[in-house]
Amino acid sequence: MILGYHRRFYYYFKDIENRSYRVDIYQRSALPVEEEEVRAGDVAFKVIYPATNKFSPVRASGCEFSLLSEKNMQFLELYTADMTKFIIILNEITQGTAVRWLGYLNSEMYEEPFSELNNYFVRFKGNDGFSVLSRINHVGSEDGSRYQRIDSIWGTLFDIFFKIKLPYYRLFVGLSTTIPGFSIPEFETILHHIYTNPDNWYNEDGDPETSLTVLEELLKPLGAFIFIYNSDVYITDINHLMSSPEPLFLAYNMQEEFTFLYEILLEVNLGDLSEIGFMSDVQNFSVLPGINKQVVVYSSYRQTAIIDYS
């Protein structure tokens, strides 16, 4: 259950390894909405990670899926200009329930075949919340007031994730950068002890930068990057990941104001690539007419020589 949201559509599917999934589409509404089970289309659910380089501080992901519209314009209500109106959650339900991806339905995007009356596919795309930040100015409140206080990177991150408003579960932080001559207290990170001036988040004309720009600029000096896996957020850097087969991370509860949870050694090596099941999305079987026709002739008379080499 997500505060302020109610489930509107849901559907089930299985992957090529027979694991079961449920996709939930939640709608922001003050009152409960009617739930409706629907059917997946030709693309049940696809998680997309765009190509990035090692210097990209924000590594976002997206999703793509299609639904079978059994009647005319069955899903037209999913078109919206509100970028946070619909939340998509991919749950693996093979054993228990585990969130494998969550994000917002992309707003102001909807297309379906106008000539079809029923039983056609409608495609949708979603984002993990980071792209939403590119449309949200980094201001103190909805009235556009400026941030006045000098705050730590940690406090600024809290403000940014408050703007995303997605139900992420944990934040894992593991960084190699240290502060010379300063010992970071237990259960804290370097992000708690580096401070930023809010005037840096406004350009020469006094206009605020986007929250995505602020997030990028917070991480760049540390050589760090941020990404989301399942329902958890990770902040780390290459040096820390390569420092050990199981580097140390500190975990924080994002649903309870970033309170400390525990320390954990995370295994970086996720396995052998040769064991991953790859499947092409282009699978065609074609039968073509023969170009050179061969004629086989049989004779009942014995032939002593098949080929004459003279």
Side-chain angles (χ1 to χ4, degrees), residues 214-281:
V214 173
L215 178 60
E216 292 173 338
E217 297 304 321
L218 289 174
L219 300 177
K220 282 181 180 178
L222 302 175
F225 57 88
I226 185 172
F227 64 94
I228 299 170
Y229 180 67
N230 295 337
S231 60
D232 299 322
V233 181
Y234 294 79
I235 298 178
T236 186
D237 59 63
I238 293 294
N239 291 329
H240 185 71
L241 291 179
M242 299 303 295
S243 64
S244 168
E246 295 185 344
L248 177 67
F249 281 79
L250 275 64
Y252 299 86
N253 191 336
M254 299 187 69
Q255 299 183 1
E256 294 184 4
E257 298 186 350
F258 289 38
T259 54
F260 177 79
L261 291 173
Y262 47 79
E263 294 181 344
I264 185 172
L265 299 175
L266 294 180
E267 185 177 358
V268 177
N269 184 10
L270 299 180
D272 188 348
L273 287 177
S274 64
E275 298 177 355
I276 299 177
F278 292 96
M279 183 176 65
S280 170
D281 58 357

Side-chain angles (χ1 to χ4, degrees), residues 2 5 23-28 45 47 60-65 82-91 99-107 125-132 164-168 228 230-232:
I2 305 173
Y5 285 81
V23 177
D24 298 321
I25 302 177
Y26 287 87
Q27 176 182 337
R28 190 178 66 243
F45 200 92
V47 177
S61 66
C63 76
E64 181 179 332
F65 63 96
D82 187 342
M83 58 188 175
T84 61
K85 184 175 182 179
F86 294 101
I87 291 178
I88 309 162
I89 300 181
L90 171 66
N91 302 281
V99 175
R100 296 306 182 201
W101 192 89
L102 65 87
Y104 287 116
L105 184 70
N106 285 356
S107 60
K125 293 183 178 181
N127 66 86
D128 62 6
F130 285 141
S131 66
V132 170
I164 298 179
K165 298 180 179 178
L166 280 173
Y168 304 123
I228 299 170
N230 295 337
S231 60
D232 299 322

Side-chain angles (χ1 to χ4, degrees), residues 46-241:
K46 181 192 300 183
V47 177
I48 303 171
Y49 290 93
T52 59
N53 60 59
K54 63 182 179 181
F55 300 110
S56 300
V58 178
R59 306 185 180 185
S61 66
C63 76
E64 181 179 332
F65 63 96
S66 64
L67 300 176
L68 175 63
S69 183
E70 300 183 68
K71 56 186 178 182
N72 190 31
M73 297 186 178
Q74 181 179 355
F75 302 110
L76 186 60
E77 65 185 84
L78 292 179
Y79 170 80
T80 177
D82 187 342
M83 58 188 175
T84 61
K85 184 175 182 179
F86 294 101
I87 291 178
I88 309 162
I89 300 181
L90 171 66
N91 302 281
E92 183 180 351
I93 56 175
T94 306
Q95 294 179 346
T97 301
V99 175
R100 296 306 182 201
W101 192 89
L102 65 87
Y104 287 116
L105 184 70
N106 285 356
S107 60
E108 301 179 61
M109 295 180 62
Y110 185 89
E111 183 179 356
E112 67 174 46
F114 188 70
S115 59
E116 299 290 340
L117 183 62
N118 52 33
N119 295 329
Y120 55 85
F121 298 143
V122 184
R123 289 183 179 270
F124 298 93
K125 293 183 178 181
N127 66 86
D128 62 6
F130 285 141
S131 66
V132 170
L133 293 176
S134 65
R135 302 170 61 181
I136 300 176
N137 289 333
H138 192 68
V139 293
S141 61
E142 294 183 358
D143 62 4
S145 61
R146 294 177 63 129
Y147 283 106
Q148 300 295 330
R149 69 185 188 280
I150 294 178
D151 202 354
S152 65
I153 292 180
W154 188 260
T156 307
L157 286 174
F158 182 86
D159 292 337
I160 290 174
F161 279 104
F162 181 78
K163 298 177 189 297
I164 298 179
K165 298 180 179 178
L166 280 173
Y168 304 123
Y169 178 33
R170 293 167 298 188
L171 170 63
F172 291 94
V173 181
L175 295 169
S176 62
T177 306
T178 59
I179 302 175
F182 178 77
S183 180
I184 298 175
E186 190 177 15
F187 309 141
E188 292 186 356
T189 70
I190 191 174
L191 304 177
H192 291 80
H193 298 279
I194 298 180
Y195 289 82
T196 64
N197 188 332
D199 291 340
N200 294 331
W201 313 134
Y202 296 85
N203 60 26
E204 294 81 357
D205 298 325
D207 298 324
E209 299 288 354
T210 67
S211 294
L212 179 60
T213 299
V214 173
L215 178 60
E216 292 173 338
E217 297 304 321
L218 289 174
L219 300 177
K220 282 181 180 178
L222 302 175
F225 57 88
I226 185 172
F227 64 94
I228 299 170
Y229 180 67
N230 295 337
S231 60
D232 299 322
V233 181
Y234 294 79
I235 298 178
T236 186
D237 59 63
I238 293 294
N239 291 329
H240 185 71
L241 291 179

